[in-house]
Amino acid sequence: MLPTWHMTIDCLKRIERKVLGKLEIAIIASDMKKELMAQFCIAYCGILSKHSLCATSITAKYISDATGLKIERLLTGEQGGEEQIATRVAYNEIDVLLYFRDTRDTSGYEGVCAELLLACDRANIPVATNIATAEVLITALERGDLDWRNFINPTSEYNRKKKA
């Protein structure tokens, strides 16, 4: 269990991101899609750099090596990185999920993938599972079309003022 002060610092960081208009973007890419994800992030580096990013470990390395973007590295998918993102989704700490999956993948992670996508559906978190949908989400993000996430996220400036 983390000390209370550590939890308070994490809470303040999340609040700061919402006040500054930064959204939390989680990124996952199957082994066969890591290069495609890196290329996608190169193309949209300018937009992604304005937001807070987290990704499973190896995907984060691919992206940061290719783009120089600052990305919070979670565990690898095999070690529970997808579960870490699912937990953040459950606590409404993720605003967008980019999840490039290999549809031919038979590694046994289908259950984890299905649970993660179901959690996003329950929390109304936009998800892109392929490059076409990811481009739509990222351009919508740039236009401000996803600003509504600030209103439903409990740590947003809007909801903190409403509670006061």
Side-chain angles (χ1 to χ4, degrees):
M1 177 119 178
L2 294 173
T4 306
W5 61 267
H6 190 272
M7 287 185 251
T8 304
I9 291 171
D10 287 344
C11 182
L12 290 173
K13 286 180 183 176
R14 285 193 301 271
I15 291 168
E16 176 188 22
R17 288 180 190 130
K18 296 304 172 197
V19 170
L20 296 175
K22 289 185 176 185
L23 295 182
E24 295 286 335
I25 301 173
I27 303 172
I28 305 171
S30 299
D31 288 342
M32 297 298 291
K33 300 289 183 166
K34 289 188 189 324
E35 185 62 34
L36 179 62
M37 181 62 83
Q39 295 299 320
F40 174 82
C41 291
I42 289 169
Y44 292 101
C45 188
I47 298 170
L48 292 171
S49 66
K50 298 174 187 174
H51 300 280
S52 298
L53 309 175
C54 69
T56 52
S57 184
I58 298 169
T59 301
K61 181 174 178 8
Y62 266 80
I63 295 167
S64 64
D65 287 352
T67 64
L69 287 169
K70 181 181 174 188
I71 303 174
E72 179 185 357
R73 286 179 73 169
L74 305 174
L75 297 172
T76 65
E78 291 178 354
Q79 294 175 333
E82 291 174 0
E83 287 87 347
Q84 283 181 298
I85 291 173
T87 300
R88 290 181 180 195
V89 166
Y91 283 97
N92 206 10
E93 297 173 358
I94 299 295
D95 296 303
V96 175
L97 174 63
L98 304 178
Y99 190 174
F100 288 9
R101 336 181 262 158
D102 184 0
T103 55
R104 301 171 297 145
D105 192 12
T106 58
S107 61
Y109 294 107
E110 293 86 11
V112 174
C113 174
E115 288 177 26
L116 177 58
L117 296 176
L118 182 60
C120 288
D121 285 344
R122 287 182 180 139
N124 291 315
I125 294 172
V127 178
T129 58
N130 58 59
I131 195 164
T133 310
E135 288 182 333
V136 169
L137 275 181
I138 292 298
T139 55
L141 180 66
E142 180 67 5
R143 283 192 314 261
D145 295 347
L146 299 180
D147 289 349
W148 59 270
R149 285 290 307 161
N150 287 321
F151 300 114
I152 66 169
N153 191 313
T155 60
S156 72
E157 176 73 11
Y158 173 82
N159 285 314
R160 284 188 300 120
K161 284 181 180 178
K162 198 168 140 181
K163 288 179 185 177

